[in-house]
Amino acid sequence: MSTIEVVVGRIGKPHGIRGEVTVDVRSDEPDKRYADGSVLLAQAPRGSAFAPATLTVERTRWHQGVLLATFAELPDRTAAEGARGVVLRAEIDESERPEDPEEFYDHQLIGLAAYDAEGVHLGEVTGLVHGAQDILQIRTTDRRDVMVPFVSALVPEVDLDGGRLVIADRPGLVRPLPEEDEGE
């Protein structure tokens, strides 16, 4: 059984004086990833003095739509403040898929062949950029790198078993805009 690491969150500011912290959740399954006793890998931000390589979930609760977590390794507010910005990762089985069929892990998308709606090969998914909107990085067949918003209107089909996805290509999205004739 092969495992991989997936990002499940980032520690935010302390909440109270007993080591509780806010968590910017990056998982569609927070109840599973942050279950009591779960051990998460901890990656400190560059320049941080934070030392623990793992954090053990003692308990969690939701407060006004924000996940609050207590970790065994963060006994007080000072320790919680030192953990601010730590990225939390979970080890999962490489074959595991999210419960929601419309959700995907990065490793499942990277390497998929990209085709347009007519079946023309456009390139390959080489990465993802996460933010307010997830964006697919595509290396085109002519070796350009393009960005495609990962929304159903532009990526209507993802076939993991088939190793491909479909992009509803728009002028200038993946293929360059045709050059205008100089005489017009």
Side-chain angles (χ1 to χ4, degrees):
M1 176 173 83
S2 179
T3 62
I4 60 165
E5 295 178 13
V6 295
V7 174
V8 296
R10 187 179 59 79
I11 294 177
K13 63 184 180 180
H15 184 83
I17 61 171
R18 294 192 177 102
E20 194 172 46
V21 293
T22 62
V23 177
D24 175 17
V25 177
R26 305 273 173 90
S27 171
D28 290 337
E29 303 170 313
D31 294 337
K32 180 177 181 180
R33 301 294 173 216
Y34 293 95
D36 293 356
S38 295
V39 177
L40 300 173
L41 304 170
Q43 179 184 358
R46 193 179 309 265
S48 171
F50 185 78
T54 61
L55 291 172
T56 306
V57 178
E58 284 190 339
R59 68 184 169 278
T60 59
R61 64 187 178 100
W62 291 94
H63 177 69
Q64 297 179 350
V66 175
L67 181 67
L68 300 177
T70 303
F71 295 98
E73 297 80 3
L74 305 177
D76 56 33
R77 185 176 181 89
T78 301
E81 186 63 48
R84 186 178 259 188
V86 167
V87 174
L88 302 169
R89 298 177 185 273
E91 286 187 330
I92 65 166
D93 183 277
E94 191 170 27
S95 64
E96 183 179 327
R97 291 188 178 181
E99 291 175 13
D100 183 345
E102 297 295 315
E103 297 294 328
F104 306 95
Y105 294 124
D106 291 9
H107 74 277
Q108 294 173 307
L109 297 170
I110 295 172
L112 291 182
Y115 292 87
D116 70 9
E118 287 76 43
V120 176
H121 186 237
L122 298 173
E124 180 178 308
V125 179
T126 57
L128 279 97
V129 177
H130 298 286
Q133 175 61 60
D134 292 338
I135 298 174
L136 296 173
Q137 295 175 316
I138 308 288
R139 170 64 57 96
T140 64
T141 54
D142 61 353
R143 312 295 293 158
R144 291 177 301 108
D145 291 315
V146 298
M147 309 292 256
V148 176
F150 192 35
V151 296
S152 60
L154 295 176
V155 186
E157 180 184 339
V158 177
D159 179 3
L160 296 179
D161 295 328
R164 59 181 301 205
L165 56 79
V166 173
I167 296 175
D169 195 18
R170 308 283 196 274
L173 181 63
V174 177
R175 293 185 198 114
L177 289 171
E179 295 186 41
E180 295 183 33
D181 292 333
E182 288 185 36
E184 293 182 19

